[in-house]
């Protein structure tokens, strides 16, 4: 079984190599991002491994199928970059890494919140400049506030548990409510409007799909209190960028923490320090003093990287040996 690994980042190499050896696989690692132009690189391979920024849309899948690709192993949990219906139609087996460290993303979400609330980046810079004044660094006490979680799956729940531990009340909006969670966290499942109106901190953790794209849009954003924080470590497309910019321009949000951005594909994971960037939306967001953006690094811990490498290569090993792939790792319609 010959495997081509697209979009291999420097930071994941040593984890991938370790598990490649362990599972006795034959993997060729390339930095190239998969899209229609470069799809021919997959000629001669049986399987490809893909990152969340690779293009797995219909035409790319059709070309991959013509080239004889039988399996796609995603090195991500989310699969909004893949046309699953087409992959199934073409008989391509697709696997993912459903859970690699939900706590890593939840902890990063808390980090974003604390940084925008207590203004740590600014405070750090001031002290570095021997400026020990406090003006402008005032935050709010998080204890006692209401946290609204949209999508309480693995990551949303991990974040809810952290915030419960900090003394917050928890509201949840989820298409599949769970009574055990309601009990464990003394949480309340509410509709989206209620959550947006009542929460002091809103955090997005649902997957990106046709139902959730722009779940925060020009209408729903108006329901959010002007004193609230909005956090997104889910997917950029959950928020309509222009609606967010308009709301921030009106000074109607206390702060925004983003680990993902609607049009991040061409910007994130690359060094633009010499060339600058031309994405107007991102530039505008970066211009607000109460917006903190990180470059999709929520997952970026040793434990998560190791789990991603292990599970994605284990899926390939099982497939190549005709063994059963864990049900939760297999993408089905
Ligand atoms: P999960 O599948 O465990 O949980 C998702 C939850 O969202 C489920 O409880 C589901 O019922 C709920 N949901 C689905 N549709 C909904 C809707 N229309 N409204 C409200 N809730 C809805 O997924 P997990 O592992 O918690 O990941 C969540 C998302 O986090 C992923 O889809 C991915 O987009 C993002 N993610 C971000 C990372 C980062 O580095 N920033 C890393 C990994 C995942």
């Amino acid at each position: 079984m010959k495997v081509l690994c697209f979009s291999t980042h420097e930071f994941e190499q040593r984890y991938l190599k370790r598990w490649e050896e362990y599972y006795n696989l034959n993997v060729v690692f390339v930095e190239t991002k998969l899209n229609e132009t470069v799809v021919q690189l997959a000629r001669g391979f049986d399987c490809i491994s893909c990152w969340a920024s690779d293009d797995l849309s219909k035409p790319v899948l059709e070309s991959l199928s013509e080239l004889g690709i039988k399996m796609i192993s995603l090195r991500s949990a989310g699969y909004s970059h893949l046309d699953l219906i087409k992959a199934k139609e073409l008989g391509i087996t697709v696997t993912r890494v459903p859970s690699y460290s939900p706590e890593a993303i939840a902890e990063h979400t808390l980090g974003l919140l604390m940084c925008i609330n207590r203004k740590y980046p600014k405070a750090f810079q001031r002290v570095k400049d021997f400026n020990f004044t406090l003006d402008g660094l005032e935050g709010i006490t998080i204890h006692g506030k209401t946290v609204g979680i949209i999508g309480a799956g693995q990551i949303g729940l991990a974040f809810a548990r952290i915030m419960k531990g900090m003394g917050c009340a928890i509201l949840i909006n989820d298409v599949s409510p769970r009574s055990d969670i309601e009990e464990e966290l003394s949480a309340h499942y509410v509709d989206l409007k209620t959550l947006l109106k009542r929460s002091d901190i809103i955090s997005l953790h649902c997957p990106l799909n046709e139902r959730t794209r722009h779940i925060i849009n020009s209408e729903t954003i108006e329901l959010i209190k002007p004193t609230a924080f909005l956090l997104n470590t889910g997917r950029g497309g959950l928020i309509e960028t222009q609606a967010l910019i308009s709301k921030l321009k009106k000074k109607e949000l206390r702060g925004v923490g983003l680990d993902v951005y609607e049009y991040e594909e061409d910007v994130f994971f690359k060094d633009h320090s010499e060339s600058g960037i031309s994405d107007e939306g991102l530039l505008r967001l970066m211009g607000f003093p109460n917006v903190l953006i990180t470059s999709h690094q929520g997952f970026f811990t040793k434990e998560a990287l190791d789990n991603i490498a292990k599970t994605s290569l284990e899926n390939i090993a099982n497939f190549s040996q005709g063994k059963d792939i864990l049900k939760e790792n297999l993408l089905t319609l």
Side-chain angles (χ1 to χ4, degrees):
M1 180 104 169
K2 286 190 74 187
V3 185
L4 180 62
C5 184
F6 280 103
S7 297
T8 315
H9 302 93
E10 177 70 33
F11 58 71
E12 46 173 354
Q13 286 257 2
R14 69 188 167 101
Y15 299 98
L16 288 166
K17 291 236 162 88
R18 180 175 148 206
W19 291 107
E20 178 201 16
E21 209 178 300
Y22 180 87
Y23 288 117
N24 200 16
L25 290 167
N26 176 12
V27 186
V28 173
F29 298 99
V30 291
E31 287 178 24
T32 317
K33 194 166 128 176
L34 175 61
N35 57 40
E36 255 187 290
T37 325
V38 300
V39 69
Q40 292 298 327
L41 284 175
R43 188 180 297 280
F45 291 88
D46 312 289
C47 164
I48 59 166
S49 164
C50 291
W51 189 253
S53 53
D54 285 320
D55 178 358
L56 289 162
S57 56
K58 194 174 159 185
V60 179
L61 289 172
E62 279 168 347
S63 302
L64 287 169
S65 174
E66 279 166 25
L67 292 168
I69 295 297
K70 298 170 193 70
M71 186 211 185
I72 299 172
S73 169
L74 303 179
R75 305 197 301 288
S76 57
Y79 52 92
S80 52
H81 56 305
L82 170 108
D83 186 332
L84 185 57
I85 297 175
K86 192 71 206 172
K88 289 284 124 195
E89 202 181 296
L90 295 166
I92 301 175
T93 300
V94 186
T95 59
R96 64 172 181 149
V97 184
S99 171
Y100 36 87
S101 180
E103 290 77 16
I105 298 113
E107 288 165 14
H108 187 70
T109 312
L110 174 68
L112 287 176
L113 172 64
M114 294 312 289
C115 281
I116 34 170
N117 177 30
R118 304 300 292 269
K119 306 177 178 69
Y120 294 143
K122 197 187 263 185
F124 173 74
Q125 199 48 55
R126 267 196 206 178
V127 172
K128 279 267 187 197
D129 292 340
F130 306 108
N131 174 354
F132 297 94
T133 61
L134 296 181
D135 299 311
L137 299 183
E138 188 184 286
I140 61 162
T141 302
I142 298 295
H143 182 95
K145 299 297 183 292
T146 297
V147 178
I149 293 179
I150 302 175
Q154 299 182 86
I155 300 170
L157 279 180
F159 185 62
R161 290 189 178 108
I162 292 173
M163 299 317 290
K164 173 79 181 160
M166 286 179 75
C168 295
I170 309 293
L171 295 179
I172 297 176
N173 173 254
D174 196 300
V175 284
S176 316
R178 284 172 50 184
S179 55
D180 56 326
I181 294 306
E182 217 160 11
E183 208 171 305
E184 178 198 332
L185 297 169
S186 316
H188 296 289
Y189 280 90
V190 292
D191 60 45
L192 183 65
K193 277 188 179 172
T194 308
L195 183 142
L196 295 176
K197 278 185 190 166
R198 286 182 33 202
S199 302
D200 302 302
I201 298 155
I202 295 160
S203 199
L204 300 172
H205 300 287
C206 55
L208 178 65
N209 55 39
E210 285 323 304
R211 272 181 79 179
T212 60
R213 186 174 299 279
H214 291 180
I215 195 165
I216 302 297
N217 55 44
S218 51
E219 276 176 32
T220 53
I221 207 163
E222 290 308 322
L223 302 170
I224 300 177
K225 295 190 220 178
T227 51
F229 289 105
L230 177 63
L231 307 168
N232 188 9
T233 57
R235 282 289 180 268
L238 297 174
I239 299 182
E240 185 187 352
T241 302
Q242 284 313 319
L244 178 60
I245 291 172
S246 303
K247 185 85 171 162
L248 283 160
K249 273 166 116 175
K250 291 188 281 178
K251 297 194 189 327
E252 285 181 356
L253 280 172
R254 190 187 292 280
V256 176
L258 305 174
D259 187 46
V260 287
Y261 167 64
E262 192 170 5
Y263 308 107
E264 69 182 47
E265 275 76 19
D266 295 329
V267 186
F268 284 13
F269 300 117
K270 287 184 206 140
D271 181 0
H272 302 274
S273 55
E274 293 296 322
S275 58
I277 58 165
S278 53
D279 186 308
E280 299 287 342
L282 186 55
L283 283 167
R284 186 67 189 96
L285 286 173
M286 286 164 67
F288 291 105
N290 56 343
V291 175
L292 186 76
I293 302 172
T294 52
S295 172
H296 208 139
Q297 68 172 83
F299 70 97
F300 201 48
T301 65
K302 284 186 192 314
E303 292 80 357
L305 286 170
D306 197 49
N307 283 337
I308 292 169
K310 178 181 187 293
T311 308
S312 63
L313 293 180
E314 187 182 51
N315 287 337
I316 296 173
N318 285 339
F319 179 79
S320 71
Q321 292 160 21
K323 288 187 190 164
D324 284 345
I325 294 171
L326 277 180
K327 206 172 147 214
E328 60 266 32
N329 296 4
L330 256 185
L331 279 185
T332 48
L333 285 173

